[in-house]
Amino acid sequence: GVIIIPEGTTSIGGWNNFNGCNKITAVILPDSLTYIQGNNFQNMAALTEITVGTGMTTWVRGNFNNCQNFNKVNIKDLDAWLNITFESTGNAETPLAVARHLYLNGTEVTSVDFTGKTMIKDKVLWGCLGLTSVVLPNTITSIGNSAFRSCDNLVISDLNLPNLATLGSYAFQGTKVQTISDLGSLTSIPEYCFKGCSQLTTIDQGVLDNITVLNKEAFNNCTSLGSVKQSDNSISSVLR
């Protein structure tokens, strides 16, 4: 019922290697593994969890289609997980985006502190239901696509990122951002970035003064947005 990839293995190449192994309940990946090609874990009806080693650097299209019981990603080192590059075509899902629960040494991850970091990579916490809080320091300059997407229980009382230079699509979709007070030097809000942030109530004028472009559905379904600080630019006029 368990697939254990032996220590010393550095990559899993090709596609669909374990597709349809529907009696496997768990997969354990070694610390030596750095690379996984795409679509290797599909149609595994009994799969419940996967353990990811500390050496992983690149995961290509981590598709877990039809793994309906898959609900747990186990890791040993949070920094190692946050440094994985999740490559994909379009919206291909990561393991966490499907499993929805991330466990660090047996304990579900509820908080992540990004102190000392400048970049948050694409998709690293997409779908993390246990996540309720994050520390986002002033040093953050880049937040990738879908970084916190569908982190439905993540509360951010004030999104204050004065040095932010790049922000990805879907970055905060579905989270509980409540106030946006500073987005650094951004001049556009990417598509779907704050879609479904139902607790977002306030966007400060300092944010809007820099913004010239709102991309597709950037604030769609922000049902509590009732206060947009006045500004003379066209974006503020659209939001009011």
Side-chain angles (χ1 to χ4, degrees):
V2 179
I3 293 176
I4 302 174
I5 306 298
E7 193 64 47
T9 304
T10 59
S11 67
I12 298 176
W15 299 75
N16 299 310
N17 281 292
F18 303 106
N19 190 346
C21 296
N22 57 16
K23 294 184 179 180
I24 297 299
T25 59
V27 175
I28 299 174
L29 305 176
D31 292 340
S32 59
L33 192 70
T34 63
Y35 175 88
I36 295 181
Q37 185 60 280
N39 292 2
N40 277 293
F41 307 99
Q42 295 192 93
N43 303 306
M44 300 175 72
L47 182 69
T48 61
E49 61 184 287
I50 189 167
T51 299
V52 180
T54 58
M56 184 68 65
T57 60
T58 306
W59 199 315
V60 181
R61 194 177 175 92
N63 200 320
F64 286 78
N65 284 341
N66 298 319
C67 296
Q68 58 265 36
N69 292 304
F70 179 48
N71 62 10
K72 190 174 184 180
V73 175
N74 302 301
I75 60 173
K76 306 172 190 177
D77 185 307
L78 184 57
D79 276 342
W81 175 265
L82 295 176
N83 282 322
I84 296 175
T85 297
F86 291 102
E87 296 181 357
S88 65
T89 302
N91 286 332
E93 294 167 327
T94 71
L96 182 55
V98 180
R100 305 301 301 274
H101 296 278
L102 183 67
Y103 285 80
L104 175 61
N105 296 317
T107 300
E108 185 161 15
V109 173
T110 59
S111 180
V112 176
D113 188 344
F114 290 94
T115 298
K117 298 186 182 302
T118 60
M119 179 178 68
I120 301 172
K121 299 184 77 169
D122 291 353
K123 307 175 184 177
V124 289
L125 291 167
W126 179 4
C128 192
L129 281 182
L131 189 67
T132 59
S133 66
V134 291
V135 176
L136 299 174
N138 289 348
T139 55
I140 295 294
T141 60
S142 175
I143 298 177
N145 297 320
S146 300
F148 300 104
R149 180 178 180 178
S150 299
C151 292
D152 299 346
N153 298 309
L154 173 59
V155 177
I156 301 175
S157 59
D158 182 16
L159 191 60
N160 185 1
L161 298 168
N163 293 303
L164 191 66
T166 60
L167 181 62
S169 59
Y170 296 93
F172 292 96
Q173 182 194 347
T175 63
K176 292 180 168 63
V177 175
Q178 297 171 350
T179 298
I180 301 173
S181 62
D182 199 334
L183 292 179
S185 60
L186 289 186
T187 58
S188 67
I189 305 293
E191 61 181 8
Y192 309 108
C193 189
F194 297 100
K195 181 178 180 178
C197 292
S198 60
Q199 292 192 15
L200 178 62
T201 61
T202 305
I203 303 173
D204 284 355
Q205 178 179 334
V207 175
L208 297 175
D209 285 345
N210 293 327
I211 301 300
T212 58
V213 177
L214 284 180
N215 286 287
K216 184 178 179 181
E217 298 187 31
F219 292 98
N220 182 270
N221 247 359
C222 292
T223 53
S224 299
L225 185 57
S227 175
V228 178
K229 301 297 178 64
Q230 294 292 314
S231 175
D232 293 332
N233 69 18
S234 59
I235 296 301
S236 180
S237 300
V238 169
L239 288 173
R240 282 202 296 270

